[in-house]
Each structure stands twice: as C-alpha cells, then as structure tokens.
C-alpha cells in the first residue's frame, strides 16, 4: 500500500497564513523538502533532526489519526511540509479524504507538479524570495500555473523579509497577474519569547503595510500577518 512520510498531525486549529487565514482546519505535515530556506520555520521536516519521528502512514491511518484528534469537529484539512508536492503517494490520501467529504488546502513552493494537485480545493503556490537563499525556476512555476489555469482557488503567497524580497514579489506579480497575491510578514526569530516575538512581528507588519501602500505595482494584493505566531509564538502543533 502507498504510504506517506508524516511528521505531524494536529488540530483542530486555525490556519495562520495565506488565502485561508483564520480557517478552522486540521493539519497534516509531511516530511521532506527540495529547498533549504535560510529562515525556514519547519526545517525539522528536511534537515534530518527528526528523521526518527517520521511515520509512514496509509490514507486510512492518516484519517484515523485526524479523527482521533478532531472527532466530528472539522471538515477542512491543510496539507503542509516541507514540500508535500514531492510525494506522488499523496494521491490516494487526497482521494480518501475527499471521499470523507473534506475540503483540502495545500501549500507548495511551485517546484514540482503532481497529478493529484488539481484535486486540492485550495492551492497556495509560495515561491521563495531572495532572502531564502533559494532560486525560483520560473519555467517550472509557470508550467504548474498553466496546469492549474482552470482551478477555481489558486493563489500566490510570498513571505517578505526585506526590500529585495519586495522587488522579487513585484516581478512575480507582474508575471502572473491573473493570480491573487498574498504578501506575508516573514518570521526568522525562531528563538524569541512570545511577547518579544509579537512586538517584533507587529513592527514588521507595519513596515510591510507601509511599503505596499507606496507601491505602484501592488495595487491589488492582500497584506497578511502570521496569525498563528501572534497567538502561539513559535510553538509547534497548534
């Protein structure tokens, strides 16, 4: 049977990012990523530090765990990573969860296509800006966007740390103006206490708002905080 490498299943909680911000959801976090972003807040999914905690799970096992945690309190599931789009084996999981009547959301950097992606109800493509240290393959990203051109809920989300990231986001927005764009404050202070982090992120959010308001390119974008970091800081599993 197809099995998926899973590091975390948790919830119900609220989605803190992107087009489904505030959505009540369960989370499935898969292991593995083809990127190594310098500020990654879930580096444990790819740097080997939690290799011993990876559970190889079938679709039914994943569902059973979700139901044990959430019971009959949820109808929305977010698949996160790492980069879950690396996994062809997610196809049967997607099918199984859809049969259960679930609405599915997924975030990927747009570096890998899978045939099951069109079955995801809410697809967030999050190409990584210069501060990540990663390079975007725009040919692959464009191909994925083209494959999803008839999908009703696809968006771009870019985390912003500095002016270079903003310039990158402008390029992406101008290249793919047909997709909604969400600009989000980045969090690189992963060792901060909750109160210090909150004040830091509020100031960064204000800075990002100010920059976007002055832009002649960002006329129709949404500017977001990292909602979960405001509430729970850098705590995992929430």
């Amino acid at each position: 049977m197809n099995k998926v490498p899973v590091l975390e299943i948790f919830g119900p909680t609220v989605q803190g990012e992107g087009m489904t911000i505030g959505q009540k959801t369960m989370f499935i976090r898969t292991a593995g990523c083809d990127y190594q972003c310098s500020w990654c807040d879930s580096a444990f999914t790819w740097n080997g530090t939690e290799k011993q905690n990876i559970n190889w799970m079938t679709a039914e096992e994943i569902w059973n765990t979700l139901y044990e945690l959430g019971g009959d309190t949820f109808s929305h599931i977010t698949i996160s990573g790492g980069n879950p789009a690396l996994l062809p084996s997610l196809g049967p999981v997607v099918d199984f969860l859809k049969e259960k009547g679930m609405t599915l959301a997924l975030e990927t950097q747009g570096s890998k296509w899978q045939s099951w992606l069109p079955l995801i109800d809410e697809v967030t493509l999050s190409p990584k800006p210069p501060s990540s240290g990663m390079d975007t393959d725009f040919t692959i990203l464009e191909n994925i966007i083209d494959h999803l051109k008839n999908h009703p809920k696809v968006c771009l989300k870019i985390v912003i740390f500095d002016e270079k990231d903003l310039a990158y986001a402008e390029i992406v927005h101008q290249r793919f103006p047909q997709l909604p764009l969400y600009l989000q404050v980045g969090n690189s202070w992963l060792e901060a206490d909750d109160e210090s982090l909150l004040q830091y992120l509020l100031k960064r959010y204000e800075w990002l708002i100010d920059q976007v308001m002055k832009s002649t390119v960002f006329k129709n974008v949404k500017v977001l905080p990292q909602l979960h970091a405001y509430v729970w800081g850098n705590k995992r599993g929430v």
Side-chain angles (χ1 to χ4, degrees), residues 156-190:
L156 289 161
K157 188 198 81 177
I158 301 175
V159 292
I160 304 296
F161 288 86
D162 55 33
E163 288 81 2
K164 289 183 179 179
D165 289 352
L166 277 168
Y168 168 88
E170 287 188 346
I171 291 170
V172 173
H173 188 43
Q174 289 171 317
R175 190 157 183 166
F176 307 109
Q178 74 276 24
L179 291 182
L181 175 62
Y182 294 80
L183 300 177
Q184 184 171 297
V185 175
N187 173 22
S188 59
W189 197 5
L190 303 182

Side-chain angles (χ1 to χ4, degrees), residues 7-48:
L7 267 172
E8 293 182 317
I9 296 178
F10 60 92
T13 184
V14 293
Q15 171 60 266
E17 304 182 353
M19 66 173 160
T20 59
I21 191 168
Q23 170 69 50
K24 181 180 180 180
T25 190
M26 298 291 291
F27 271 89
I28 304 167
R29 187 184 297 280
T30 61
C33 193
D34 49 334
Y35 280 16
Q36 297 181 4
C37 296
S38 61
W39 34 250
C40 181
D41 61 2
S42 53
F44 59 90
T45 61
W46 52 261
N47 65 12

